[in-house]
Amino acid sequence: MDFPRVVIVGRPNVGKSSILNWLAGKRVSVVDALAGVTRDRVSERITLGDRHVELIDTGGIGIVDEGDLAEHVERQIAAAMAAGDVILFVTDTRSGITPLDEEVARRLRLIPCPVLCVANKTDAPSWDAAAAEFTRFGWPVIAVSAEQRRGREDLIEALAERLPPSPPESPEPDVMKLAIVGRRNVGKSTFINTLAREERMIVSEIPGTTRDSVDVRVEIDGRAFLAIDTPGVMRRKSVRENVEFYGLVRVRESIRRADVVLLFFDASREIGRVDKQLAQAVFEAFKPAVFVVNKWDLLAKQVPTGVWVERLREAFSSQAFVPVAFITGKSGKNVRRLIELAQSLFQQSRERLTTGVLNRIVREVLVKNPPPLHSGRRAKIYFAVQVRAAPPTIAVFCNDPEAFSPSYRRYLLNAIRDRSPFVEIPIRLLFRQRTNSKGGELRRPALDELPEERLSDSGLAEEEAAWLDAAEDNGEGDFSDGGDAGEI
C-alpha cells in the first residue's frame, strides 16, 4: 500500500535529520554538526496519530559537498519533492532568514503541494517571536525544537490537516527485508538503483558516498520486498569521524533487522579483514545470507566461478552452506536470479519441522554416530523440539550439555540441516539439561534407545508441551538467547 509522502527539505544544518528522527521516535538519519551528512533520500514509514505516512529526509539544498556530489544530491532532492504529498520546509529560528532559505522558498513555490514551514531550534517560548519571521514566506509556520522536544503535537496536527485522504487500509504483507552490506565501493548503491530502476542512491567512485542505511521498497514480478542499502565499512582504525562511526553502527542495526543479508564482494579485489568482520556480524545474528560476487563482468572471461567459490569456502569454512551468486549490478545481469534466491532463503527461515520428524532425525544421527563418553558418562539426548522460526531454533534436552563437544554439536547441526528444509540457512541449536525432580538423571530411555515407531507426530504432541513446561519451571524456558548455540 502506498503511504502519503511527507518530504523534509531545507538548507544544510537546520535540523532536517533531527526532525525525521524526532517524529519517527528513533534514530533513522545520521545527525552530525558536519554539514552535508545526508546525501541520499532517507525514508521511514511511521504512524502519526491515526495516519500512516512515509517520512523522507533529503540533503541540504545548496550544499557544497566535499566529494563533489552536489549535483547528485540536488537530483535526489528534486525527485523527493516531485513525489511529495506534503513538504516540511525546515528553517533555523536562531539563524533567522538567510539567502539560502530564500532560494529554498523560491523552489518550493513551483511545487504544487501543501507546504508547512517548520521553524526548528525554537527551544523556548522566548524564541516564538523570532520564529514568526518566517511567515514572510507565505506558508503556515510551526515553531518546534527537535532537540528540546517542543511543538511536536502542533506539527502533527498541522500535518494531518494537509495529508491527502486515506485509502481503505489493508494489512501490510509480510515482506522480506533484504540488507545489502559490504566494504566500500563494492557496488551496493548501483545494485539498489538497478533494483529500483531509478537513481535512488547516489553512486560515485568516491569512497563513503553512502552515509546512512536507506530503505528502498522494490517490487519484482509482483513480489514486494524492502532493500536496505548500508554504508560501506572500512577497517576500524580508519574510522575517524562521527559520521563514519554511526555508519558502522547502522550496518549492524540493518543486519539485525534484516530477514536476509546480501554480503557483497568486489570480483577484482581479494577477500579482506573487513569482509570477514562483516560475515562474523551476519552469522552471529543468525541471518540467512548470500555471498554476492559483484562486478563479475570484469573477470568473467578470465577466471572460472569455481576459483572464487573456493576462495569463499576457504575464508568462511564454517559457513559452507551459504550460497554464492555472481552478478553485474550495473547491467542487472543475474540480479533477478539473486532476488529469487534471497526469497527462497526467506521462506526456508520460516519453515518448521514437526517434532516427530526432528526426533527421528536426531535418533538416526545418534544411532549412526553416538557422542563419545564424557568423564566416563554416556551423553544422552532425550528430546528435541523446534521452538522458533526465523531463525530456526532447536532445543535439545539432554543429561549434560557439557558432554557434547563443539565438534559433535556441529556434526549434529549439519545432519539436521541435510535432512531438513534449512539447507542454506543458519540454525540455532540450544542444549538444555533435564533432570528428575531431585536433580538426578532422568529414568527414561534416550532417543537412540527408543524404537522409531514411538516417534510419531501424534505420539509426541503431548510430550512436547510437557518438556517445554518443565524447561520453563527450571528457568530454562527462554529460547531467545543463542549463547550456547552451535552454529558459529
Side-chain angles (χ1 to χ4, degrees), residues 28-42 59-60 63-69 73 184 188-189 201-202 206-214 229-234 241-251 254:
V28 179
S29 280
V30 173
V31 177
D32 193 88
L34 176 69
V37 169
T38 301
R39 288 168 167 169
D40 299 294
R41 282 174 274 164
V42 179
I63 185 67
V64 179
D65 188 84
E66 62 182 17
D68 292 329
L69 297 172
V73 175
R184 289 182 162 190
K188 301 184 298 298
S189 295
M201 304 299 302
I202 295 173
I206 301 166
T209 300
T210 301
R211 289 168 163 173
D212 265 301
S213 288
V214 179
D229 191 20
T230 61
V233 177
M234 67 183 80
E241 297 180 355
N242 282 343
V243 172
E244 292 166 345
F245 169 75
Y246 285 120
L248 188 59
V249 171
R250 285 291 195 280
V251 172
S254 297

Side-chain angles (χ1 to χ4, degrees), residues 262-266 290-294 312 323-327 338:
L262 303 183
L263 179 51
F264 267 52
F265 301 85
D266 185 330
V290 182
F291 292 145
V292 181
V293 184
N294 191 27
L312 290 166
V324 180
F326 294 84
I327 71 164
L338 172 59

Side-chain angles (χ1 to χ4, degrees), residues 170-363:
S170 57
E172 282 267 353
D174 185 18
V175 299
M176 173 179 67
K177 294 186 286 293
L178 187 66
I180 296 91
V181 304
R183 57 179 167 172
R184 289 182 162 190
N185 273 27
V186 293
K188 301 184 298 298
S189 295
T190 299
F191 173 75
I192 290 283
N193 289 341
T194 298
L195 288 179
R197 296 184 289 276
E198 65 170 320
E199 187 183 337
R200 187 59 181 80
M201 304 299 302
I202 295 173
V203 177
S204 168
E205 294 302 317
I206 301 166
T209 300
T210 301
R211 289 168 163 173
D212 265 301
S213 288
V214 179
D215 292 1
V216 180
R217 294 178 185 270
V218 180
E219 185 173 313
I220 294 179
D221 295 334
R223 302 179 74 177
F225 61 93
L226 186 72
I228 309 168
D229 191 20
T230 61
V233 177
M234 67 183 80
R235 292 182 63 177
R236 187 173 293 276
K237 70 178 184 179
S238 302
V239 178
R240 296 188 178 91
E241 297 180 355
N242 282 343
V243 172
E244 292 166 345
F245 169 75
Y246 285 120
L248 188 59
V249 171
R250 285 291 195 280
V251 172
R252 292 189 175 273
E253 288 178 353
S254 297
I255 289 171
R256 279 195 292 272
R257 69 188 181 96
D259 297 307
V260 179
V261 177
L262 303 183
L263 179 51
F264 267 52
F265 301 85
D266 185 330
S268 63
R269 296 161 70 185
E270 295 296 320
I271 296 170
R273 183 184 301 176
V274 170
D275 299 312
K276 294 178 180 179
Q277 290 170 343
L278 282 169
Q280 185 69 12
V282 171
F283 295 110
E284 282 178 353
F286 289 90
K287 296 299 181 180
V290 182
F291 292 145
V292 181
V293 184
N294 191 27
K295 307 181 185 180
W296 188 241
D297 56 317
L298 302 178
L299 294 181
K301 296 180 180 178
Q302 305 169 38
V303 180
T305 56
V307 171
W308 247 98
V309 171
E310 188 60 32
R311 285 182 198 169
L312 290 166
R313 297 302 179 226
E314 288 179 6
F316 309 104
S317 56
S318 61
Q319 283 85 43
F321 57 89
V322 176
V324 180
F326 294 84
I327 71 164
T328 302
K330 191 171 185 179
S331 68
K333 185 174 182 180
N334 292 335
V335 165
R336 190 178 296 270
R337 261 189 283 179
L338 172 59
I339 298 304
E340 290 172 357
L341 175 58
Q343 291 280 6
S344 171
L345 300 186
F346 178 59
Q347 295 304 323
Q348 282 184 47
S349 70
R350 279 153 173 70
E351 295 284 348
R352 282 188 174 270
L353 279 175
T354 68
T355 303
V357 168
L358 177 57
N359 280 273
R360 289 194 291 274
I361 291 172
V362 175
R363 178 188 178 279

Side-chain angles (χ1 to χ4, degrees), residues 17 23 46 74 105 110 156 161 211 220 222 231 262 313 318 346 364 377 382 384 386 389 429 435 451 465:
S17 296
L23 290 176
I46 68 168
E74 286 290 331
L110 304 176
I156 291 174
E161 291 173 358
R211 289 168 163 173
I220 294 179
L262 303 183
R313 297 302 179 226
S318 61
F346 178 59
E364 181 185 337
R377 295 178 63 210
Y382 302 116
Q386 183 178 346
L429 192 61
T435 59

